[in-house]
Amino acid sequence: MAEIGFEPLKTLDLVGRADLDERDFDAAGNFKFPHAVALTRAWRFEPAPLLTRTLSRQLAMVATSGVQEIEEPSDVAAIFALQTVEIDLPTLPALEAMRRMNDALRNTTGPRPSGAGYEVNPPVGGEAWTYGLRFGKRDVWKIGWATDVDGRCTDINQHIPIELGLEQWGVVLRQRMNSRDAAYDMEQRVLELLANKRKGYERVHCSRSEIDSAWQQAFVDVIRGK
């Protein structure tokens, strides 16, 4: 089992040319595999489980040489319930930086509207805001709702070890809504429109133009009651 970094590594920064096979180069002498997938953490199952005793059904043939996503909640729970031993990975600055980044971007679950919500001072007339936070200058966005957007952003950033040089979340988009329910509905509509860009709960990876388009459409849809 492995945790994947979301930035590619340059293979030749990690492996010396002398350690490579001549078949790794084309006729012109160019290396065929310039980029590598980064494993930031890895675990070994002990004892090794049998797939047929762990998952509810057999995986498709594509899983033999490729990737098959496991979506059944009971299967996901069964995998995480297995006993594991963490494997020591090489000490590389690039891996350590991505490991810290993954920790900072760990999935969180957005709150549903309640009598309190996230607030410093109670809003007038039940108003609330839908917000869009951006992680540094990256195309990584966090969508949510709050009654105090700046306070919410500050709270989220408290979990990021900025002393390690990591970027922070910043408020880029905010839309005032006339109720907490409306703010939550807009949050959910934005996430629905960007469903194919979602990386977990409230987080999406997309361009600024894509987030702007979804934001505007979501506001119109909520106002029209769609």
Side-chain angles (χ1 to χ4, degrees):
M1 183 167 64
E3 177 184 84
I4 307 298
F6 59 84
E7 292 183 348
L9 294 175
K10 293 183 179 180
T11 308
L12 293 180
D13 287 345
L14 308 174
V15 182
R17 295 179 71 94
D19 298 322
L20 299 172
D21 190 282
E22 61 180 15
R23 291 170 295 182
D24 294 328
F25 299 86
D26 62 21
N30 299 311
F31 185 50
K32 296 179 182 178
F33 314 103
H35 295 101
V37 176
L39 296 186
T40 56
R41 290 186 177 89
W43 297 265
R44 180 176 62 252
F45 293 116
E46 288 190 359
L50 290 175
L51 184 148
T52 54
R53 294 182 181 177
T54 304
L55 303 183
S56 59
R57 59 190 176 88
Q58 183 71 37
L59 296 178
M61 285 298 295
V62 68
T64 303
S65 58
V67 175
Q68 179 179 347
E69 185 173 0
I70 297 175
E71 299 179 321
E72 178 61 41
S74 61
D75 286 343
V76 174
I79 292 172
F80 280 111
L82 295 171
Q83 293 186 342
T84 61
V85 175
E86 187 162 3
I87 300 171
D88 291 330
L89 298 178
T91 304
L92 300 172
L95 287 182
E96 182 58 30
M98 276 187 273
R99 191 176 295 120
R100 294 197 302 266
M101 187 71 70
N102 279 348
D103 289 340
L105 296 175
R106 192 74 59 195
N107 292 344
T108 59
T109 303
R112 287 181 173 273
S114 65
Y118 182 90
E119 58 186 293
V120 175
N121 296 309
V124 178
E127 290 180 345
W129 299 75
T130 305
Y131 63 76
L133 309 183
R134 188 174 192 174
F135 194 70
K137 296 182 179 180
R138 300 173 185 269
D139 286 336
V140 179
W141 305 84
K142 186 177 181 66
I143 311 301
W145 77 275
T147 56
D148 176 8
V149 175
D150 293 323
R152 176 62 174 155
C153 185
T154 298
D155 181 65
I156 292 172
N157 280 326
Q158 286 180 351
H159 303 286
I160 298 176
I162 58 174
E163 67 274 12
L164 299 178
L166 294 179
E167 296 161 282
Q168 291 184 282
W169 294 101
V171 181
V172 176
L173 298 167
R174 66 177 88 200
Q175 176 62 53
R176 185 172 62 184
M177 307 298 285
N178 60 11
S179 70
R180 295 181 177 91
D181 285 337
Y184 175 76
D185 288 343
M186 180 170 169
E187 169 205 288
Q188 293 300 302
R189 182 57 178 150
V190 172
L191 293 173
E192 180 183 351
L193 291 169
L194 295 172
N196 63 334
K197 305 289 185 178
R198 290 184 71 171
K199 299 299 180 181
Y201 298 101
E202 307 162 307
R203 208 170 64 242
V204 294
H205 290 198
C206 66
S207 66
R208 176 61 192 267
S209 61
E210 288 174 314
I211 197 79
D212 283 343
S213 177
W215 189 268
Q216 295 168 13
Q217 185 62 53
F219 176 71
V220 171
D221 289 348
V222 171
I223 294 301
R224 291 178 176 175
K226 291 186 178 181

